[in-house]
Structures are given as structure tokens and as C-alpha cells.
């Protein structure tokens, strides 16, 4: 729960930075996209008429999970968490992939192959976690901001954006799709024209002022939030379970038999 709060805080402050800077699935997806680009010499994009409805799928999945979880009374959540299934839910999840079923295997293969063709296939279209962070990211004071006075309209930022945002045509990037990856900032040849900042960059060419944060500062802020949360959880005794180890020795060998309560 504390980690979830930490990731929501990241989204509130720094857009969907979790997706591009921390998420292991996002990293894998990015790697597959890069391999695909090398193999085929390009990335394939679904046409806009298909891209928009596909992007809504992750919100439908998020809605489905919220529909299941939100009406649950606190007592029912506690009962679930303390049930044998809830106590070793992570082992069940591991087993889900260790003893992979046919449907799961086909889904993983389709997603892996699809990610070679379409960059960030899972993140862009299906991840409900990314959808949730995207909604929180709308309130982030930090945004990608462009100074039209010093912009030379080269279009490199839009080309570098893995989320296909037309950065070169925007003054501020509001969209829920921005993962604060900073690729656009890195690719911009006009000094201090494109920044990840709270305030607008201003100034004519050659007289711009740096107002944004660098990739290094971003990494530092994310480390601080994550490290601070883990430190707090450890300090307050919320990091490790209080249950005795014998509990797990008894439950884990029979985990395959446990079904959802
Ligand atoms: S390239 Fe820029 S606009 Fe595109 S997702 Fe990354 S930070 Fe956001
Ligand atoms: S890369 Fe920089 S200079 Fe080029 S269009 Fe984007 S903001 Fe303007």
C-alpha cells in the first residue's frame, strides 16, 4: 500500500515518471521495441482511428478493477488479506507464471511479439496501473513546456517521443500519455527551449533561461520518494510481515491447492 502511495505521489508531482523510469514491465517493453526497430528498421503505429479506441482499453481494465475493489467493505479486504490465499498471494502470482497455462502463454507470446512491432504495446493500450497514474499525472505541476520564441521548429522532439505526442506543436504537454521520459528534452537542439518544469520557459534565442529539471535531478527525486517510502515503511514496521515464518513453511508447499476465497 505504501509503495502504491509512493507511485501515486510520483505521478502527482512528476507525471507518469514511474512508467518510464522505474517500471520493470515498461523497461522490458522499451527493450523489445528497440529490438523490433533494429530488426525491421522502423516502428509500426496503428492508425489514429484505431489508436484512440485501443488506448481506452486500459481505462476499461482500470474501471473493472476499481469496480471490484472499491465497493469491498474494509472487513472483507482484511479477511481476504489474512486468508491463506491472501497471505501467499505473491507466491500464487509466481506460480501463475511458473506453471503457465495455455491462455497465459498465448497472451505473453502475443504481447511479446506485438511489442516488437508496436512500441510500448502493453503500456500504451493495456496497463491499468499506467492508466491510474495517468489520471493522477493530470495534476502534476511539472510538465514538458516549450518556448515558441526560441524553438526552431525542427520537429526532433516529436520524433523522439515514444508516446507519439506532437511536442513540437504544443506549448505545454498536458496529456495523460506523457511519461516524463525526457527523450524530447534530450533531443532538442535549441538550448533551454524544451524543459520539464513548473513555469514556462521564456526568452528569445540565445537569451533563454534554464527553468527545467535535468534527467539527473529527476532520477534523484524519484530515488528520494522511493527510498524515503521504503525507509519510512521499515522504520514504522510496515515493510516486513509480522507473521511467523512457520506459517509460510506450512502454506507454500500446498499453494497450488489454494484457490481464491
Ligand atoms: S518524449 Fe517528452 S512528451 Fe514524449 S513522453 Fe517523453 S517526456 Fe513526455
Ligand atoms: S526539438 Fe526543440 S527546437 Fe525542435 S521543434 Fe522541438 S522544441 Fe522546437
Amino acid at each position: 500500500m505504501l509503495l502504491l502511495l509512493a507511485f501515486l505521489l510520483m505521478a502527482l508531482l512528476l507525471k507518469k515518471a514511474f512508467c518510464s523510469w522505474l517500471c520493470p514491465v515498461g523497461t522490458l517493453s522499451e527493450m523489445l521495441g528497440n529490438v523490433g526497430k533494429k530488426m525491421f528498421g522502423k516502428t509500426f503505429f496503428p492508425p489514429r482511428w484505431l489508436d484512440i479506441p485501443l488506448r481506452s482499453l486500459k481505462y476499461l481494465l482500470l474501471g473493472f478493477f476499481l469496480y471490484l475493489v472499491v465497493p469491498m467493505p474494509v472487513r472483507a479486504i482484511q479477511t481476504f488479506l489474512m486468508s491463506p490465499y491472501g497471505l501467499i498471494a505473491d507466491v500464487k502470482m509466481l506460480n501463475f507464471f511458473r506453471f503457465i497455462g495455455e491462455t497465459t502463454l498465448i497472451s505473453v507470446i502475443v504481447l511479446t511479439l506485438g511489442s516488437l512491432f508496436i512500441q510500448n504495446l502493453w503500456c500504451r493500450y493495456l496497463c491499468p496501473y499506467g492508466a491510474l497514474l495517468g489520471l493522477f499525472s493530470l495534476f502534476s505541476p511539472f510538465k514538458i513546456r516549450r518556448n515558441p520564441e526560441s524553438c526552431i521548429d525542427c520537429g526532433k522532439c516529436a520524433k523522439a517521443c515514444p508516446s507519439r505526442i506532437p511536442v513540437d506543436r504544443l506549448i505545454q504537454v498536458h496529456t495523460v500519455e506523457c511519461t516524463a521520459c525526457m527523450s524530447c528534452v534530450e533531443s532538442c537542439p535549441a538550448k533551454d527551449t524544451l524543459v520539464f518544469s513548473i513555469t514556462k520557459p521564456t526568452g528569445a534565442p540565445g537569451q533563454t533561461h534554464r527553468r527545467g529539471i535535468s534527467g539527473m535531478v529527476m532520477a534523484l527525486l524519484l530515488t528520494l520518494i522511493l527510498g524515503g517510502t521504503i525507509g519510512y515503511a521499515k522504520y514504522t514496521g510496515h515493510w516486513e510481515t509480522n507473521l511467523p515464518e512457520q506459517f509460510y513453511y506450512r502454506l507454500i508447499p500446498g499453494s497450488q491447492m489454494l484457490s481464491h476465497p
Side-chain angles (χ1 to χ4, degrees):
M1 183 54 76
L2 282 170
L3 283 176
L4 172 66
L5 290 178
F7 301 148
L8 292 178
L9 178 67
M10 283 175 193
L12 269 178
L13 293 176
L14 303 163
K15 300 286 290 176
K16 284 202 305 183
F18 170 80
C19 300
S20 58
W21 290 77
L22 284 168
C23 178
V25 181
T27 306
L28 200 65
S29 188
E30 196 178 318
M31 280 161 62
L32 284 169
N34 290 340
V35 171
K37 214 188 268 177
K38 279 208 178 96
M39 280 167 68
F40 310 116
K42 65 181 222 172
T43 304
F44 298 88
F45 301 127
R48 204 172 146 72
W49 61 263
L50 183 61
D51 183 57
I52 294 173
L54 284 178
R55 266 193 275 158
S56 61
L57 287 177
K58 58 181 182 285
Y59 297 104
L60 288 178
L61 281 171
L62 173 66
F64 171 69
F65 289 122
L66 291 179
Y67 167 76
L68 289 181
V69 174
V70 172
M72 251 175 115
V74 175
R75 207 167 168 79
I77 295 177
Q78 277 170 341
T79 310
F80 170 75
L81 289 176
M82 294 316 289
S83 69
Y85 184 97
L87 286 172
I88 55 161
D90 46 357
V91 178
K92 293 291 291 180
M93 180 57 87
L94 177 66
N95 284 347
F96 181 74
F97 288 103
R98 277 177 67 211
F99 310 107
I100 199 159
E102 206 174 293
T103 315
T104 315
L105 184 64
I106 293 171
S107 307
V108 170
I109 292 173
V110 168
L111 283 172
T112 308
L113 291 178
S115 300
L116 290 172
F117 293 95
I118 299 170
Q119 203 169 22
N120 294 338
L121 175 72
W122 167 260
C123 314
R124 188 170 177 84
Y125 299 125
L126 293 166
C127 181
Y129 209 69
L132 180 68
L133 296 182
L135 295 178
F136 276 76
S137 80
L138 287 172
F139 302 98
S140 165
F142 276 97
K143 283 179 182 48
I144 293 289
R145 298 178 202 268
R146 186 174 65 92
N147 176 4
E149 275 184 83
S150 58
C151 173
I152 56 170
D153 291 322
C154 67
K156 287 189 176 169
C157 48
K159 221 168 155 192
C161 178
S163 303
R164 289 169 244 159
I165 299 165
V167 191
D168 57 338
R169 283 186 266 137
L170 302 169
I171 300 296
Q172 297 181 29
V173 175
H174 283 288
T175 167
V176 287
E177 299 298 334
C178 177
T179 58
C181 67
M182 311 276 260
S183 301
C184 54
V185 176
E186 259 180 38
S187 67
C188 177
K191 195 170 175 284
D192 300 338
T193 293
L194 199 60
V195 287
F196 187 62
S197 64
I198 293 182
T199 53
K200 286 183 201 162
T202 50
Q207 296 160 0
T208 49
H209 309 289
R210 180 162 190 92
R211 285 163 187 260
I213 59 170
S214 64
M216 189 61 91
V217 175
M218 170 74 102
L220 211 74
L221 288 173
L222 293 172
T223 310
L224 264 176
I225 297 175
L226 185 62
T229 308
I230 294 174
Y232 173 80
K234 282 189 178 240
Y235 183 70
T236 55
H238 289 97
W239 187 249
E240 296 195 7
T241 176
N242 298 327
L243 291 168
E245 273 187 3
Q246 292 90 299
F247 233 88
Y248 296 97
Y249 290 142
R250 229 179 28 238
L251 285 177
I252 292 173
S255 60
Q256 282 297 85
M257 305 298 150
L258 289 176
S259 55
H260 202 288

